[in-house]
Amino acid sequence: MRIALVTDAWAPQINGVVRTLQTVCGHVTAQGHTVLVVQPGLFPNLPCPTYPEIRLALTGPAQVAKLLNDFQPDTIHIATEGPLGWLARYWCLKHDFPFTTGYHTRFPEYLQARFGLPLGLGYAALRRFHAPAAAVLVPTASMAEALKTRGFHRVNVWGRGVDTELFQPRVSTAPAPWPRPILLNVGRVSVEKNLEAFINLPVPGTKVVVGDGPQLASLQARYPKVVFTGAKQGAELTALYNQADVFVFPSRTDTFGLVLLEALACGVPVAAYPVTGPLDVLTDPRVAALDEDLGAAVTRALTLSRQACRQFALKHSWAQIAAHLLQQLVPLHR
């Protein structure tokens, strides 16, 4: 099968959406399918205002149409609602081709938090984008229900996985680099991640924030006692997970939180709010503490079994996630 994947989120971005799409592409290709990734790096592009690591493609309908016409896909999945997503959507509608879309990020909540845009306007734009799709693929069941209540249709769940070979417990005899307990957060350093709820927790130990983003310089200046490592990948990231005693996830807007599974795969219990994302992913009380009092969640998470965390993560393979995507794609019927 020839699969066209259209995404405005791609390397060099480092986030859960990019990791998900890249990993699934690898599994799908290994099964003999051919994938064309239509992403900003194929076109002239510029940095997104306030998010310079996000590249916005400078192109038009003709350029995107040529790529897709030359590739002759059997199916098309539009993963993001950015410029390339809208152009691919236009191409599909022009030719009366069915397509699926992905809903990965709560943009309305983000735009409200950052710019004060009313939620209703943000959701109206996204409803229009996704309305013609044969299926809207979302990471969790609660996210699907939330979108249905806002007027979205044909919403299906497409979950997430974790690389349990890369992210696994690794024993080290070296002393801990910081005073314990070590409380870790991994992700984008930006307003929608609610990092200050983590940073301001009145709990002992060391708070470590791994990631890059528009709030990094500001938070570094305001919180000198917090360890900010910048973005990390691969073995360096795994090592940081393994040094942690608890993974703290303060976000209230993430649709999934791939880092939750990465932490659990390394044997690190999670503390989070009981909201969409954590409620869907952290279904076993032996591996996570969910509480509106995040400090209480941290205290409880410190008592949980690292072995149970690892066993829970082993149930979420990327091979299963890739197979599920293939089942949900729709043929173009040329």
Side-chain angles (χ1 to χ4, degrees):
M1 183 163 56
R2 299 173 66 79
I3 304 166
L5 169 66
V6 182
T7 174
D8 295 274
W10 200 251
Q13 289 182 53
I14 302 173
N15 57 42
V17 175
V18 174
R19 288 204 298 278
T20 295
L21 297 176
Q22 289 179 326
T23 305
V24 168
C25 281
H27 279 273
V28 167
T29 302
Q31 294 178 33
H33 302 285
T34 302
V35 182
L36 169 69
V37 181
V38 180
Q39 46 92 4
L42 300 181
F43 310 93
N45 56 75
L46 53 75
C48 177
T50 77
Y51 280 112
E53 66 271 33
I54 297 177
R55 310 301 297 186
L56 300 178
L58 297 175
T59 188
Q63 290 78 16
V64 171
K66 184 178 188 315
L67 272 177
L68 294 172
N69 285 325
D70 289 349
F71 181 63
Q72 291 285 295
D74 299 311
T75 187
I76 181 167
H77 178 65
I78 303 174
T80 57
E81 304 99 332
L84 292 177
W86 281 95
L87 291 170
R89 175 186 181 274
Y90 171 79
W91 179 81
C92 290
L93 294 178
K94 179 180 178 180
H95 295 285
D96 197 26
F97 290 152
F99 59 95
T100 54
T101 58
Y103 189 102
H104 303 273
T105 305
R106 286 183 160 183
F107 282 121
E109 282 81 358
Y110 162 70
L111 292 172
Q112 182 186 56
R114 192 161 180 81
F115 303 111
L117 184 75
L119 277 179
L121 289 179
Y123 274 108
L126 291 184
R127 269 196 307 273
R128 181 184 176 196
F129 179 88
H130 292 282
V136 183
L137 307 187
V138 301
T140 65
S142 65
M143 188 73 255
E145 290 305 312
L147 289 184
K148 289 175 184 176
T149 63
R150 291 191 175 272
F152 288 69
H153 302 287
R154 298 177 295 281
V155 183
N156 296 344
V157 176
W158 175 46
R160 300 293 181 266
V162 64
D163 183 347
T164 55
E165 292 298 315
L166 173 61
F167 297 104
Q168 62 174 292
R170 301 186 189 279
V171 178
S172 173
T173 57
W178 307 289
R180 292 194 180 277
I182 296 171
L183 312 179
L184 177 69
N185 175 271
V186 177
R188 216 170 144 59
V189 185
S190 52
V191 63
E192 72 273 17
K193 298 300 184 180
N194 197 27
L195 284 174
E196 289 187 77
F198 164 48
I199 290 171
N200 288 316
L201 285 177
V203 294
T206 304
K207 294 163 184 163
V208 181
V209 175
V210 179
D212 201 353
Q215 273 199 313
L216 181 58
S218 169
L219 293 180
Q220 280 179 312
R222 291 165 54 200
Y223 300 103
K225 293 184 179 180
V226 175
V227 178
F228 293 91
T229 70
K232 299 293 181 183
Q233 298 186 69
E236 282 187 300
L237 178 57
T238 301
L240 286 164
Y241 277 123
N242 273 277
Q243 290 163 355
D245 296 295
V246 173
F247 185 82
V248 185
F249 190 75
S251 174
R252 291 182 176 273
T253 60
D254 275 54
T255 56
F256 189 89
L258 192 60
V259 290
L260 299 173
L261 288 180
E262 292 175 355
L264 293 174
C266 293
V268 184
V270 177
Y273 290 115
V275 296
T276 296
L279 279 173
D280 294 276
V281 179
L282 307 171
T283 54
D284 187 338
R286 296 176 302 167
V287 305
L290 305 183
D291 201 308
E292 281 297 336
D293 183 339
L294 195 57
V298 169
T299 300
R300 203 157 72 247
L302 284 168
T303 68
L304 299 178
S305 163
R306 296 178 76 96
Q307 184 178 4
C309 294
R310 174 65 179 175
Q311 292 303 314
F312 180 88
L314 288 173
K315 300 173 185 176
H316 297 78
S317 78
W318 276 118
Q320 292 174 320
I321 301 304
H324 193 201
L325 175 64
L326 291 174
Q327 290 168 6
Q328 304 213 56
L329 296 177
V330 294
L332 260 58
H333 299 306
R334 292 183 176 276

